[in-house]
Amino acid sequence: MNRYVFYNFIMVSFINLLLFVPHILIEARFNGAVSSMIVGTVIGTILVYMYTSAMARYPGKGLPEILKQHFPQWLVSICMFCSAVMWWFATSIVVVAYAILINRFFNPDANSIIILSMLIIACGYAATRSTLSVMFVLEIGLIVNAPVIIFILFKAVRSTQLNFDSIRVVANYVTAMPTLSAVAAASFIFTGYINLSLFNRLLPPNFRFKFRWVYPVFGITIMLITFFVPIGFHGTEAVNQYTYIWSVTADSLIMQYGFIERVLFLFLIVFLNLTLVYTMCGWHQAMEFIKCCFRNYKPEIDSPKTPVANYVIVGIFAMLTMLYLVLTNEKINMFITSYWLVARMFVEFIIVLTVFVLSRRRPKTT
């Protein structure tokens, strides 16, 4: 079961490439980005260890069940509604960004609304499935796509076009003071652990978190590649000219393997799959948190029949996502995302600290 916990961590670490995280860090490359990554790594690692240690004392229970044991229903309902908004928005900004990305790089004549409609129909239907089914889809999606993503990252690191002098210049700014936005962006790479808020329901009573040292090692590796590789490709100044920096970086790579020549096409295809899986997981968690606002709701990890409420809630998510695309553009989306990353960091800190303190009052289940 430990692999299912790691799947969520891998998924969020990879999806940061589409969530403007590289752009935010690169914007601060001379103003504290390097030191912010160090601080973000420390924060992310501490939160991972605290939350996994706390959730190990509540096997088979998610965040709603834990809060209901210690707080009144009205307070739990408010917390769950706010959490649902956070989870919905976290995934919706990604699927909206990807719809625009397809419009930019695949078919500029296509309508972004139509593209987004097809994406949300696919991930919305998957999000209405049971929690166990969602986890299985996540596993299949990562098994298929993660090796390709790792291959692309490895090819970028090994490319002869990579200029290590540019990387060295930016790395020398490690003494610049970190900034709040850069720390929040850096810590996002480690935030996959927070999905235990729901998926902890799937863990058996005797479950133990193992190999937790892998999380910071994997997160640091992805963070360094995310930040330094585009700088090595585009230079210390030109790298800041691109919004979708990793799409442009992937387009700088060429492969000589049969019919695949431009890495960009392979990059966009695998990240299409990853975006759908990420949105599916986020909407499913938000849906479950909304349902937990009601006193009589009893969670099921593998219900034989899909409740009608699932379609209603996810349908509302879909309409709100479409509305978000209509009312915003790329500049506004990036502005909102940068502030959302900061809010996310503080909200996660409150969640982790609350559950950790509550878990200290409870004997560990054997």
Side-chain angles (χ1 to χ4, degrees):
M1 293 297 292
N2 272 279
R3 71 182 189 275
Y4 290 110
V5 182
F6 195 45
Y7 287 153
N8 285 278
F9 190 87
I10 295 175
M11 175 184 63
V12 177
S13 297
F14 283 153
I15 207 66
N16 85 89
L17 299 178
L18 294 180
L19 198 60
F20 304 119
V21 170
H23 185 82
I24 294 172
L25 290 174
I26 287 171
E27 271 194 330
R29 63 197 180 281
F30 301 133
N31 301 303
V34 180
S35 57
S36 295
M37 290 194 294
I38 297 174
V39 175
T41 299
V42 174
I43 293 174
T45 302
I46 292 174
L47 293 181
V48 167
Y49 274 81
M50 287 179 62
Y51 205 54
T52 52
S53 298
M55 297 304 281
R57 295 177 179 266
Y58 296 97
K61 294 183 179 179
L63 179 62
E65 295 84 74
I66 296 172
L67 295 182
K68 286 180 180 180
Q69 290 182 0
H70 301 89
F71 300 106
Q73 176 63 39
W74 66 267
L75 182 59
V76 175
S77 298
I78 294 174
C79 294
M80 288 300 96
F81 181 80
C82 294
S83 298
V85 173
M86 289 290 294
W87 259 266
W88 163 77
F89 190 73
T91 49
S92 293
I93 55 180
V94 173
V95 72
V96 168
Y98 193 85
I100 298 174
L101 190 65
I102 293 177
N103 180 258
R104 293 289 183 272
F105 289 93
F106 264 161
N107 190 356
D109 296 327
N111 191 321
S112 298
I113 296 179
I114 296 177
I115 296 173
L116 181 62
S117 300
M118 293 186 290
L119 295 178
I120 63 177
I121 288 173
C123 59
Y125 176 78
T128 60
R129 304 302 94 188
S130 67
T131 302
L132 190 62
S133 298
V134 168
M135 185 57 70
F136 288 155
V137 174
L138 170 60
E139 179 176 27
I140 295 172
L142 281 181
I143 289 176
V144 172
N145 296 285
V148 181
I149 297 174
I150 294 174
F151 169 74
I152 294 173
L153 297 179
F154 177 77
K155 185 171 179 62
V157 172
R158 298 281 296 174
S159 175
T160 57
Q161 302 177 58
L162 197 65
N163 187 341
F164 285 94
D165 289 334
S166 299
I167 295 175
R168 194 177 302 111
V169 168
V170 174
N172 286 335
Y173 284 85
V174 66
T175 56
M177 291 297 293
T179 63
L180 182 60
S181 59
V183 170
S187 65
F188 175 80
I189 297 176
F190 298 85
T191 200
Y193 70 89
I194 203 67
N195 287 354
L196 283 172
S197 299
L198 180 72
F199 293 124
N200 198 63
R201 292 174 177 175
L202 303 175
L203 304 183
N206 59 346
F207 180 78
R208 297 293 182 271
F209 290 98
K210 299 179 181 178
F211 309 110
R212 287 188 289 179
W213 58 269
V214 175
Y215 299 117
V217 172
F218 183 83
I220 292 170
T221 303
I222 295 299
M223 184 189 302
L224 293 177
I225 294 174
T226 296
F227 178 72
F228 284 113
V229 167
I231 293 174
F233 268 91
H234 306 289
T236 58
E237 295 296 335
V239 70
N240 198 36
Q241 303 299 317
Y242 306 104
T243 301
Y244 302 101
I245 181 61
W246 261 96
S247 299
V248 178
T249 302
D251 202 23
S252 303
L253 298 172
I254 297 177
M255 292 193 302
Q256 298 177 353
Y257 303 114
F259 60 91
I260 301 176
E261 182 179 8
R262 296 181 65 186
V263 178
L264 175 64
F265 295 142
L266 186 62
F267 178 87
L268 292 179
I269 290 173
V270 295
F271 271 94
L272 168 62
N273 300 333
L274 194 63
T275 299
L276 295 177
V277 172
Y278 178 70
T279 306
M280 171 198 69
C281 291
W283 283 11
H284 178 78
Q285 293 176 83
M287 175 190 72
E288 287 294 322
F289 290 153
I290 291 291
K291 292 161 68 176
C292 289
C293 293
F294 300 97
R295 185 183 301 274
N296 297 327
Y297 173 68
K298 295 181 179 180
E300 294 183 71
I301 62 172
D302 191 21
S303 56
K305 185 178 180 180
T306 304
V308 177
N310 290 14
Y311 295 107
V312 175
I313 296 172
V314 172
I316 294 174
F317 291 163
M319 289 188 292
L320 291 175
T321 304
M322 294 291 295
L323 184 63
Y324 181 79
L325 174 64
V326 173
L327 297 179
T328 61
N329 53 39
E330 291 170 272
K331 185 176 181 179
I332 297 175
N333 193 21
M334 182 177 297
F335 178 81
I336 294 175
T337 300
S338 62
Y339 280 94
W340 173 83
L341 287 171
V342 176
R344 172 210 57 85
M345 183 176 66
F346 286 107
V347 169
E348 284 187 12
F349 179 78
I350 294 172
I351 292 174
V352 172
L353 186 61
T354 300
V355 177
F356 184 79
V357 171
L358 294 176
S359 70
R360 296 302 98 182
R361 305 176 182 176
R362 173 188 176 93
K364 193 168 185 178
T365 304
T366 57

